Amino acid sequence: MKFKLVIDSSAEEEVRATVQKESEFTDKLQNMVLQYNGCDRIAAYRDDEMKMLPFSDIECISVLCGKSYAVDKFGNKYHLKYRLYELEKLLPGNFIRINKSAIANKTQISHLSAAFNGSVDAVFKSGYTDYVSRRCLAEIKRSLGLK
């Protein structure tokens, strides 16, 4: 397989891939390219400050009391002025739904923790935890490469 990246600020952006057959990799590549909107950060609010929070710094986005909050890799919570379904459209492919009211960054999940009562929590690198619904568990395991 060959790979070539040409950076030319005067050219129109184009992504071209030549493959012998479709595969799971080509599907993921196509989704990633089509979902990219040129933005890699989002306006986040905390106390009286506004910060442009990079997507790579976000561990989890949760809805609490009807408002969306992003938890960054340092454990800080920021208010977002978007609804969860709007955020799903904005975020890159490494974000996955973990329950009805939360989206997680797969790359920031440290491990999944099971409790005696059968519930499963996603534990993030900062130590923040959020529960994983049974409905989403199979997809999360598949995307993390777990069985």
Side-chain angles (χ1 to χ4, degrees):
M1 180 185 287
K2 295 180 186 178
F3 177 78
K4 183 178 181 180
L5 176 65
V6 178
I7 299 175
D8 182 358
S9 60
S10 63
E12 182 182 352
E13 286 189 349
E14 173 187 28
V15 177
R16 182 182 302 209
T18 306
V19 296
Q20 294 176 345
K21 63 180 181 175
E22 267 192 64
S23 66
E24 185 178 337
F25 171 74
T26 59
D27 294 340
K28 286 182 180 180
L29 180 62
Q30 181 180 8
N31 285 338
M32 182 183 73
V33 170
L34 293 176
Q35 287 179 357
Y36 180 71
N37 62 1
C39 180
D40 64 346
R41 32 186 91 230
I42 192 166
Y45 303 87
R46 183 172 172 207
D47 297 328
D48 289 336
E49 71 175 289
M50 191 273 273
K51 175 181 180 178
M52 293 305 291
L53 188 62
F55 292 150
S56 59
D57 286 356
I58 298 173
E59 285 191 331
C60 186
I61 299 173
S62 297
V63 176
L64 303 167
C65 299
K67 295 182 180 181
S68 300
Y69 291 92
V71 179
D72 72 0
K73 61 185 179 181
F74 305 108
N76 301 318
K77 284 187 181 180
Y78 295 91
H79 173 63
L80 304 176
K81 294 191 175 181
Y82 291 93
R83 296 199 175 269
L84 216 53
Y85 71 89
E86 295 170 324
L87 290 165
E88 279 185 307
K89 294 176 186 174
L90 288 174
L91 295 168
N94 57 317
F95 283 83
I96 188 168
R97 178 79 72 153
I98 61 170
N99 62 52
K100 191 171 105 176
S101 60
I103 302 171
N105 185 343
K106 295 187 294 192
T107 62
Q108 296 294 328
I109 295 176
S110 171
H111 63 278
L112 298 177
S113 174
F116 288 114
N117 64 0
S119 67
V120 176
D121 287 338
V123 181
F124 296 90
K125 293 178 181 176
S126 71
Y128 178 77
T129 63
D130 205 334
Y131 80 95
V132 176
S133 70
R134 283 183 274 149
R135 183 175 293 167
C136 299
L137 185 59
E139 175 65 22
I140 293 167
K141 283 183 173 181
R142 189 186 62 73
S143 69
L144 293 175
L146 305 171
K147 290 189 177 186

